[in-house]
Amino acid sequence: MADLTGADVRRSALTGADVTGADVTGADVTGADVTGVDVAGWSCPMPLRDYPRIVLGHGGGGTLSAELVEHLFLPAFAAAGTVPPCPDTTLAPPGRGSAAPDTDPASVDAAVVEVGGARLAFTTDSYVVRPLFFPGGSIGELAVHGTVNDLACRGARPVALSCGFILEEGLELAVLDRVARAMGAAAASCGVRLVTGDTKVVERGRCDGLYVNTSGIGLVPAGVDVRPGRVRPGDRIVLSGPIGEHGIAVLSVREGLEFGGDDVRSDTAPLHGLVAAMLAASTTGVHAIRDPTRGGLATALVEIAAAAGVGVEFTESAVPVPPAVEAACGFLGLDPLHVANEGRLVAFVADADTDTVLAAMRAHPAGTGATVIGTVTAGHPGLVAARTAFGSTRVVDRPLGEHLPRIC
Amino acid sequence: MADLTGADVRRSALTGADVTGADVTGADVTGADVTGVDVAGWSCPMPLRDYPRIVLGHGGGGTLSAELVEHLFLPAFAAAGTVPPCPDTTLAPPGRGSAAPDTDPASVDAAVVEVGGARLAFTTDSYVVRPLFFPGGSIGELAVHGTVNDLACRGARPVALSCGFILEEGLELAVLDRVARAMGAAAASCGVRLVTGDTKVVERGRCDGLYVNTSGIGLVPAGVDVRPGRVRPGDRIVLSGPIGEHGIAVLSVREGLEFGGDDVRSDTAPLHGLVAAMLAASTTGVHAIRDPTRGGLATALVEIAAAAGVGVEFTESAVPVPPAVEAACGFLGLDPLHVANEGRLVAFVADADTDTVLAAMRAHPAGTGATVIGTVTAGHPGLVAARTAFGSTRVVDRPLGEHLPRIC
């Protein structure tokens, strides 16, 4: 099979599923030269699911990622009563093994385990963003904020992080130093410590400069119980600020594009302070929190709807999208709902507590743009519906695979 | 500068420092074809240290790794009161940041942090071993055992692991499945749970099949305090079994070599059960434990001698080296003391407790080959001396860089 590099094939606007990497047809997707692609050979998106090799979409946080978890990792780990690796998701079958697992079968972002009487949140993420530096941040800030935010989404107070570097032979030490300083500064500003680490080096051409994994542990305060299983019909859906900036910022510098005259900067930021303020306003009224990273807001809403067995309805026009993000998405055929964020959260809050929580969010620097975007319903469980500007309703799904490979 | 691939340059037998990757001279080291190498251009090992790029030796767990930690990560992380990533080493400056750090400035293998009243061990390791499967195991077992063992070396009972995969586009799902099943089975046999995970996919040529990071948390039982700082002159040094099998097993399959007629199989195995048996025999007499992985037994002894400010003396002939490992090392010019192990530990035990602890080790399946190899002295602090078969004494140092790149 010919290896046709440089084919950017996007043909599934109807489903919102862009296919950005598909060895199945012999088409690689970095770059944008379509010369020589046998488009007739494509029948996306279905064949990807049956293809016996990893495609970029398996890392996108969408449907393919979920299938990888369900059909490969979950069975493989079943013997240990363990949990699959899944983008920003932790699935812990209850009651087996030596640790007390979270009882929610589809908890998000971090697992909660009881150790020595303490309720610990525990999470991991690897960061492979390309390029390493982008407007508003770098892989260093991302690696700290992303893992801190995963802990925060369980209501935990972040305590300590690990960092594991994989370095490519030939990487400039000055680049590594810049990344490490960004991590140190970000950790300091979050009040967390990088307490343990590891460094591996691989041969030139076996990495892309550097990858870094951060894992984190946090303490879940007494009385705090934030997870999808607590979401109930009637809950209000609160978004902490405008969406799409991280994904577009990375894309713009990667592809050398400018959108709408404004530089779009990544929104990368820690959210644990905001979460603490929300929980201080209402410890029990904050039912679930999710940071909509890979797969964007759409994926966060779909996964919580599915996990909680509820319907989600929101108003498209209520979701703040910066003009430059909107312009870029229009140009690129992307749905802002699918674009990654690294400093936003979406919360599901008891109706009676929404005003209090919203006020607390707006009073916090990370939540000045907080706004109610929708409501949880008992109807259409597992489905997310958006009321459009035209007054119609459309079903919102997560992307099949990967809009923007290596966005985090 | 010419990029001369395939140059295997070993010229530092006197210092025990093999240079297996050195862009500084334009020589890459995978393979063994020396054609075209400008040997006059080499002046190892010093220039490597000043070279502004990452070389394979930075990941070897030896002197270059330590320099990277000391000169790059430690300053970069200092702002956060944090800790550098270091191969199997955790350096936690005491008393800063939000988590209670381990008070030992050069604790090994895992950090100990107090969270919610519990003493937690926390560690991370990335695994990049090549090939993925080797006699006696795979990257899957390694990723579980390695992290479990790092926890065990602090006396902790392993509780939960995370796993973060970085996958190369095009990886066969069957390969991933085999690795995941190995991880699941290994975790089950260790009684630990894989509770949270993450998957990233990078483009073809930006990885080597798959890399995996596992981080782990464990509970340090009351009264247990295992760290280099407790090592005292007079302590006996106990090795749990023969050395060198993991490194030689990986090397043999990688290079297609056979040594001594016997297949050498990796010793990869969990050690937490053995450690628990040792601590049950003497909770306070077991001062420090280290698993001699990258850099081998020599590195473990040197690092503990330096951290504890003591001297180490051992008898070379007391260190069990399987005949096939000895044959391979002779053939390849390697020192068995520098070759990686993945199922062995070296313990520093109070003299009065040594017989009891040794008996407990020999009664455990992972410690049947346990033996006393040496003694801690007040003389020559920071130095490790070996009594040779000829009756002389030689100073043992850790390797400068990387004997065997990507051994774990």
Side-chain angles (χ1 to χ4, degrees):
Chain A
M1 183 182 289
D3 191 11
L4 307 171
T5 57
D8 193 356
V9 179
R10 289 198 181 82
R11 54 194 324 234
S12 51
L14 287 176
T15 65
D18 284 1
V19 178
T20 55
D23 183 73
V24 59
T25 63
D28 287 347
V29 179
T30 315
D33 176 9
V34 299
T35 313
V37 174
D38 176 16
V39 178
W42 283 79
S43 56
C44 294
M46 291 308 296
L48 287 176
R49 305 189 181 199
D50 299 323
Y51 195 64
R53 290 181 183 271
I54 289 290
V55 296
L56 285 172
H58 282 118
T63 302
L64 283 172
S65 293
E67 290 182 355
L68 192 65
V69 170
E70 185 180 352
H71 298 301
L72 193 149
F73 287 118
L74 200 53
F77 289 177
T82 52
V83 169
C86 170
D88 286 335
T89 302
T90 294
L91 304 175
R96 289 186 291 177
S98 61
D102 179 36
T103 54
D104 191 292
S107 62
V108 295
D109 293 321
V112 174
V113 294
E114 280 198 36
V115 184
R119 278 198 306 156
L120 296 180
F122 183 32
T123 190
T124 192
D125 261 316
S126 298
Y127 298 86
V128 299
V129 65
R130 176 172 61 89
L132 296 173
F133 307 95
F134 45 80
S138 74
I139 193 173
E141 288 90 357
L142 221 55
V144 171
H145 296 159
T147 295
V148 161
N149 292 349
D150 282 352
L151 297 172
C153 287
R154 295 306 303 272
R157 181 175 65 78
V159 173
L161 301 183
S162 67
C163 58
F165 283 98
I166 298 175
L167 307 178
E168 184 182 12
E169 182 188 16
L171 174 71
E172 290 179 60
L173 289 178
V175 170
L176 180 59
D177 185 59
R178 196 171 154 202
V179 170
R181 287 181 190 279
M183 290 184 73
S189 77
C190 293
V192 300
R193 289 169 45 84
L194 291 153
V195 296
T196 186
D198 175 62
T199 304
K200 295 292 192 300
V201 180
V202 295
E203 305 90 337
R204 203 182 293 269
R206 300 300 188 179
C207 179
D208 192 7
L210 72 86
Y211 303 141
V212 60
N213 175 285
T214 50
S215 300
I217 53 178
L219 184 65
V220 182
V224 169
D225 184 17
V226 180
R227 55 188 166 87
R230 292 192 63 224
V231 173
R232 294 284 176 269
D235 283 358
R236 308 294 293 278
I237 303 168
V238 185
L239 181 65
S240 70
I243 64 169
E245 291 168 318
H246 175 72
I248 296 301
V250 171
L251 193 65
S252 68
V253 65
R254 188 190 296 172
E255 309 295 349
L257 303 172
E258 287 188 25
F259 303 112
D262 294 328
D263 272 357
V264 180
R265 294 172 63 82
S266 170
D267 60 353
T268 183
L271 296 169
H272 62 299
L274 177 62
V275 170
M278 294 164 66
L279 292 170
S282 175
T283 304
T284 59
V286 179
H287 292 163
I289 304 175
R290 188 78 198 265
D291 60 331
T293 56
R294 276 182 297 175
L297 179 61
T299 298
L301 296 176
V302 167
E303 290 187 357
I304 289 196
V310 298
V312 162
E313 291 181 8
F314 72 99
T315 305
E316 274 193 338
S317 61
V319 176
V321 181
V325 170
E326 187 139 24
C329 286
F331 179 74
L332 296 165
L334 297 173
D335 185 338
L337 295 173
H338 288 161
V339 177
N341 314 274
E342 293 290 343
R344 303 290 175 237
L345 62 78
V346 59
F348 293 70
V349 184
D351 184 39
D353 295 301
T354 300
D355 289 347
T356 316
V357 170
L358 193 60
M361 292 175 74
R362 288 178 174 163
H364 190 279
T368 52
T371 184
V372 175
I373 61 166
T375 307
V376 175
T377 70
H380 56 81
L383 283 186
V384 176
R387 288 187 295 278
T388 70
F390 310 107
S392 62
T393 299
R394 69 177 177 108
V395 172
V396 171
D397 204 356
R398 57 188 171 185
L400 176 75
E402 186 82 283
H403 274 308
L404 306 172
R406 299 180 53 191
I407 207 70
C408 64
Chain B
M1 181 179 294
D3 192 12
L4 307 171
T5 57
D8 192 356
V9 179
R10 290 198 180 81
R11 55 191 326 230
S12 50
L14 286 176
T15 65
D18 284 0
V19 178
T20 54
D23 184 72
V24 60
T25 64
D28 287 347
V29 179
T30 314
D33 176 8
V34 299
T35 313
V37 173
D38 174 17
V39 177
W42 283 79
S43 56
C44 296
M46 291 309 295
L48 287 177
R49 305 188 182 200
D50 300 323
Y51 195 64
R53 291 180 184 271
I54 289 291
V55 297
L56 285 171
H58 282 117
T63 302
L64 284 173
S65 295
E67 290 182 354
L68 192 65
V69 170
E70 186 181 349
H71 297 302
L72 193 148
F73 288 117
L74 199 53
F77 289 178
T82 53
V83 170
C86 171
D88 286 335
T89 302
T90 293
L91 303 176
R96 290 186 290 176
S98 60
D102 179 38
T103 54
D104 191 292
S107 61
V108 295
D109 293 322
V112 173
V113 293
E114 281 199 33
V115 185
R119 278 198 307 156
L120 296 179
F122 183 31
T123 190
T124 193
D125 260 317
S126 297
Y127 298 86
V128 298
V129 65
R130 176 171 61 87
L132 297 174
F133 306 95
F134 44 80
S138 73
I139 193 172
E141 287 90 357
L142 222 54
V144 171
H145 296 159
T147 295
V148 161
N149 292 350
D150 282 351
L151 297 173
C153 286
R154 295 306 305 271
R157 182 175 64 78
V159 173
L161 301 182
S162 67
C163 58
F165 283 98
I166 298 175
L167 307 178
E168 184 183 11
E169 181 189 16
L171 175 71
E172 289 178 60
L173 288 178
V175 170
L176 180 60
D177 185 58
R178 196 172 154 201
V179 170
R181 286 180 190 279
M183 291 184 73
S189 78
C190 293
V192 300
R193 290 168 45 84
L194 291 153
V195 297
T196 186
D198 175 61
T199 305
K200 295 290 192 301
V201 180
V202 295
E203 305 89 337
R204 200 184 294 268
R206 301 299 188 180
C207 179
D208 192 7
L210 71 89
Y211 303 142
V212 61
N213 174 286
T214 49
S215 300
I217 53 178
L219 184 65
V220 182
V224 169
D225 183 18
V226 180
R227 56 189 166 86
R230 291 193 61 225
V231 173
R232 295 283 176 269
D235 283 359
R236 308 295 293 279
I237 303 168
V238 185
L239 180 65
S240 70
I243 64 168
E245 291 168 318
H246 175 73
I248 296 302
V250 171
L251 193 65
S252 68
V253 65
R254 188 190 295 172
E255 309 295 349
L257 303 173
E258 287 186 27
F259 304 112
D262 293 329
D263 273 358
V264 179
R265 295 172 62 81
S266 170
D267 60 352
T268 182
L271 295 169
H272 62 300
L274 177 62
V275 170
M278 294 165 66
L279 292 170
S282 174
T283 304
T284 59
V286 179
H287 291 162
I289 304 175
R290 188 79 198 264
D291 60 331
T293 56
R294 275 183 297 175
L297 180 60
T299 299
L301 296 176
V302 168
E303 291 188 355
I304 289 195
V310 298
V312 163
E313 291 181 6
F314 72 98
T315 305
E316 275 193 337
S317 62
V319 176
V321 181
V325 170
E326 187 137 25
C329 286
F331 179 74
L332 296 165
L334 297 173
D335 185 337
L337 295 172
H338 288 161
V339 177
N341 313 275
E342 293 290 342
R344 302 290 176 239
L345 62 79
V346 59
F348 294 71
V349 183
D351 184 39
D353 295 299
T354 299
D355 289 348
T356 316
V357 170
L358 193 60
M361 291 175 74
R362 288 177 174 162
H364 190 278
T368 51
T371 185
V372 175
I373 63 166
T375 307
V376 175
T377 70
H380 56 79
L383 283 187
V384 176
R387 288 188 295 278
T388 71
F390 310 105
S392 63
T393 299
R394 69 175 177 109
V395 172
V396 171
D397 203 357
R398 57 188 171 185
L400 176 75
E402 185 83 283
H403 274 307
L404 306 171
R406 297 180 54 190
I407 207 71
C408 64

